[in-house]
Amino acid sequence: MVTTAETPRRKRRSAGEILDRIITAAGAEFGENGFAGATTAAIARRAEVTEAQIFRFFPSKVALFREAIFRPLNRHFAEFQTRPTGEGAQARTQRDLARQYIDELQDFMSQHARMLMSLIVANAYSPDSTEPVGEIEGLSAYFDQGRALMTSRTSGDLPLPPELPVPPELMVRVSFAAVLANVMFKDWLFPPGMASDTAIRDAIAEFTIDGIRANWEGI
């Protein structure tokens, strides 16, 4: 008598597992193709679920984008801006602290480049479908922290100059934009062989610090 082996049944996924798969797949799909290029069909294939399962959890592609990209990026910014400046801060110069801060910002942007690019593209091509970049709570908190750093002195006993060429709330955004552009578009801006990664990082940091220094002497 010939018998055939039964095909083992695949273990049924829990709702939590399905949700995790969808969010992970959506993050990858949005990261690679942006908001406009990503489709729920492609996300479903990547997650090995059906589109119907996606829409059980999320009413729209916008809602899925916010869960997969917007909220994690917001959380990352919130975590970044609450990090301590490091041990021995009192004994370090303001320039040293500024350099550390910009170096860490470069690292942060490099680590989350795909999410940042997805948000930028979504905001550019579907401005009505996603919240503006400036309204990310974590990014707003980052700007508030940067403004506070730029309006204070390490020693704590030197007054803020009465008239600054660039207001601190504007300077922190300009500095952020300079670092963001150089990190996000590094491959376009710096052809192979032009400079090492270390040299590029140093140039970005020094340029940004010099821009901040234009407001005060002594940094």
Side-chain angles (χ1 to χ4, degrees):
M1 180 176 179
V2 178
T3 59
T4 57
E6 293 184 2
T7 301
R9 292 184 179 181
R10 186 172 64 180
K11 182 180 178 181
R12 186 172 182 176
R13 298 178 183 139
S14 67
E17 182 182 357
I18 293 172
L19 179 60
D20 286 343
R21 293 179 70 89
I22 291 171
I23 292 174
T24 299
E29 193 69 23
F30 285 127
E32 292 176 8
N33 300 300
F35 180 83
T39 65
T40 52
I43 293 169
R45 286 194 297 272
R46 191 186 286 259
E48 297 182 341
V49 300
T50 66
E51 282 190 271
Q53 286 176 303
I54 290 178
F55 289 113
R56 286 182 196 142
F57 291 99
F58 303 99
S60 66
K61 189 172 91 168
V62 172
L64 178 54
F65 177 86
R66 288 181 178 171
E67 184 66 30
I69 299 293
F70 191 86
R71 290 186 186 178
L73 187 59
N74 186 32
R75 184 178 65 250
H76 291 315
F77 270 117
E79 291 171 351
F80 178 78
Q81 66 90 21
T82 58
R83 289 163 59 185
T85 55
E87 296 180 1
Q90 295 296 327
R92 302 173 65 186
T93 67
Q94 193 162 347
R95 186 182 184 89
D96 288 339
L97 292 173
R99 177 58 192 261
Q100 177 190 345
Y101 194 71
I102 294 168
D103 282 344
E104 290 183 355
L105 182 59
Q106 290 191 66
D107 290 338
F108 171 83
M109 289 181 177
S110 296
Q111 292 165 10
H112 305 295
R114 283 174 52 177
M115 283 194 290
L116 284 163
M117 183 60 76
S118 291
L119 191 60
I120 291 169
V121 172
N123 196 58
Y125 289 98
S126 302
D128 297 330
S129 299
T130 59
E131 295 182 46
V133 173
E135 293 186 8
I136 299 178
E137 292 178 2
L139 182 55
S140 296
Y142 161 81
F143 286 149
D144 288 343
Q145 182 196 46
R147 180 184 59 196
L149 289 175
M150 290 184 185
T151 55
S152 66
R153 296 283 188 162
T154 304
S155 62
D157 58 2
L158 295 176
L160 184 68
E163 293 184 3
L164 296 175
V166 182
E169 59 270 20
L170 182 57
M171 177 59 78
V172 67
R173 286 165 171 77
V174 172
S175 300
F176 176 88
V179 176
L180 176 66
N182 279 285
V183 172
M184 296 298 295
F185 304 111
K186 178 180 174 182
D187 293 339
W188 297 359
L189 296 172
F190 308 107
M194 173 178 282
S196 66
D197 288 345
T198 299
I200 293 171
R201 284 178 61 92
D202 289 345
I204 293 170
E206 292 302 314
F207 174 83
T208 307
I209 292 172
D210 284 343
I212 297 171
R213 188 172 59 184
N215 268 15
W216 310 247
E217 291 297 326
I219 294 182

